[in-house]
Amino acid sequence: MSARQAEGAVTVHETPSVPALLLYWPARLLLKTAYRLWPLGDRGIRVLTFIEVLFGWLPNPPNVDLTTVDLGGVEAELSVPRTSAHDQLRGVSVLYLHGGGFLFCGPATHRRVCARLAETLGVPVYSLRYRQLPEAGAGTSVQDACDAYRALLDRADAPDKVVVAGDSAGGFLAAKICELAATDGVPRPAAFVGYSPQLSLDPDRHDPALLKRDAYMPLSAIRRAKPRWERGPVALRGTRSPVDAPVEVFPPTFLTAADRELLEPDIRALTGRLHAAGRAVETHVWRRGVHAFPVLDALTSESRAAMRLTGEFLREVFGRTDTARLETVEVADDRAG
């Protein structure tokens, strides 16, 4: 699988695997039509909850132990790997926010990616069941995510080693945690991982000709969903687009995207801002990928590569952090002597 360095911190992976192509074209032909035609009234959205039910019937992934926990009044599914990290990632905890356009999905649909993440990193992963449509809009989802993050800071063995991660709409929630932690004076996350993160509630603001090339997310569905994202009961705080938040709120950031997907412009924009400001950021774009393909676990080599690169990035980040701590201790000891 060939890759080339593009502008800034973006790496473009040029050659898609055969499984990726076999996934791309049916998604473009079938799923895009389904998304375009699916009714987004309250009844239509409630029907989508059966997707979560169906995934809940699948066998649990091996190599992790699953339990249900409470994080600040929000339910979360905890995946604990049977082999824990003994390297730079020791003590790390991950708060994972699932995607689904604030409409559907949950811990069951994302159980395998969270288990794979837990196994790859050797750390516990908390998958949050935040409120979403039709009962609650994006502002309420953000509030649940922030409440859970604060609770995890109290619960974690190392509060300074909490990573926030998410795909699609969950990536929006993870980015908002970074933004609002700074606003509220809460310790910021140690790192931000986004798989095709939705970084704006206005992802249709870019060139429509570009946005229509997405493999299965039709522009029309986004425009129909936008008014519903405004639903309460909690109003959205801060920016509608974390891309516009101060770069200082973002910790070391790892992002992935599919080439020409609807969310790519915002992902590249955030990457460019962070890179220009000298912030730690690494973004990977795959040709002929589908939206949020790392969530597909081991179906494609691209999914496996994205997970491997996530682990490498985080180990490098926490390796630097541990070195900085050691140097600080050594300086303090020298001064004391």
Side-chain angles (χ1 to χ4, degrees):
M1 187 184 302
S2 63
R4 65 175 173 84
Q5 192 75 24
E7 66 234 32
V10 179
T11 298
V12 178
H13 300 262
E14 299 278 7
T15 308
S17 66
V18 172
L21 290 173
L22 293 176
L23 187 65
Y24 177 86
W25 289 110
R28 190 174 182 91
L29 296 172
L30 301 176
L31 284 179
K32 197 163 189 175
T33 300
Y35 280 131
R36 185 180 292 114
L37 298 178
W38 193 268
L40 290 183
D42 287 4
R43 182 177 299 178
I45 295 172
R46 287 195 176 96
V47 171
L48 294 174
T49 61
F50 285 103
I51 296 175
E52 169 82 353
V53 174
L54 291 174
F55 272 84
W57 292 344
L58 295 175
N60 288 337
N63 303 323
V64 297
D65 295 315
L66 300 176
T67 55
T68 300
V69 299
D70 179 276
L71 286 179
V74 187
E75 180 185 312
E77 183 173 89
L78 171 60
S79 298
V80 178
R82 292 172 187 168
T83 302
S84 298
H86 293 287
D87 56 8
Q88 304 96 316
L89 297 182
R90 183 170 183 160
V92 168
S93 301
V94 178
L95 178 62
Y96 194 91
L97 296 312
H98 68 80
F102 307 105
L103 300 168
F104 65 109
C105 290
T109 57
H110 288 63
R111 186 168 291 149
R112 290 200 169 269
V113 68
C114 288
R116 182 73 64 177
L117 192 59
E119 185 179 3
T120 298
L121 304 180
V123 306
V125 176
Y126 297 79
S127 180
L128 199 65
R129 189 181 297 282
Y130 58 85
R131 287 175 288 175
Q132 52 189 341
L133 291 166
E135 282 72 32
T140 307
S141 300
V142 169
Q143 185 64 54
D144 283 355
C146 289
D147 288 346
Y149 173 69
R150 292 190 191 94
L152 184 53
L153 291 178
D154 292 334
R155 177 190 180 102
D157 292 336
D160 60 338
K161 300 180 80 170
V162 174
V163 174
V164 292
D167 64 280
S168 195
F172 179 87
L173 300 180
K176 290 296 289 184
I177 289 174
C178 297
E179 176 193 345
L180 295 178
T183 300
D184 297 340
V186 175
R188 77 174 186 180
F192 165 38
V193 174
Y195 299 140
S196 291
Q198 178 180 336
L199 294 173
S200 175
L201 292 183
D202 302 301
D204 58 340
R205 61 183 174 172
H206 301 289
D207 181 3
L210 173 68
L211 302 181
K212 289 178 180 178
R213 297 182 300 185
D214 190 287
Y216 67 76
M217 291 180 63
L219 188 57
S220 61
I222 293 292
R223 287 175 171 165
R224 286 188 296 134
K226 275 181 63 175
R228 291 165 176 79
W229 293 339
E230 307 297 332
R231 185 173 296 183
V234 180
L236 180 72
R237 291 198 297 138
T239 65
R240 288 180 59 84
S241 172
V243 174
D244 300 326
V247 293
E248 292 79 13
V249 309
F250 288 99
T253 296
F254 178 88
L255 305 174
T256 69
D259 179 49
R260 299 187 175 188
E261 73 164 301
L262 190 149
L263 304 181
E264 185 189 7
D266 286 325
I267 293 169
R268 283 183 175 268
L270 179 60
T271 302
R273 288 193 67 219
L274 295 178
H275 181 70
R279 313 294 290 184
V281 59
E282 183 178 315
T283 296
H284 293 264
V285 177
W286 271 266
R287 302 282 192 203
R288 286 292 184 264
V290 297
H291 171 67
F293 63 85
V295 174
L296 301 176
D297 189 28
L299 287 180
T300 69
S301 59
E302 288 83 352
S303 301
R304 295 189 292 274
M307 192 60 63
R308 174 180 55 80
L309 290 166
T310 302
E312 291 175 359
F313 177 82
L314 291 177
R315 284 184 168 87
E316 181 180 353
V317 165
F318 286 104
R320 291 197 303 266
T321 302
D322 289 344
T323 299
R325 285 179 183 146
L326 180 60
E327 290 173 348
T328 300
V329 170
E330 289 175 344
V331 169
D333 288 344
D334 289 344
R335 289 174 179 172

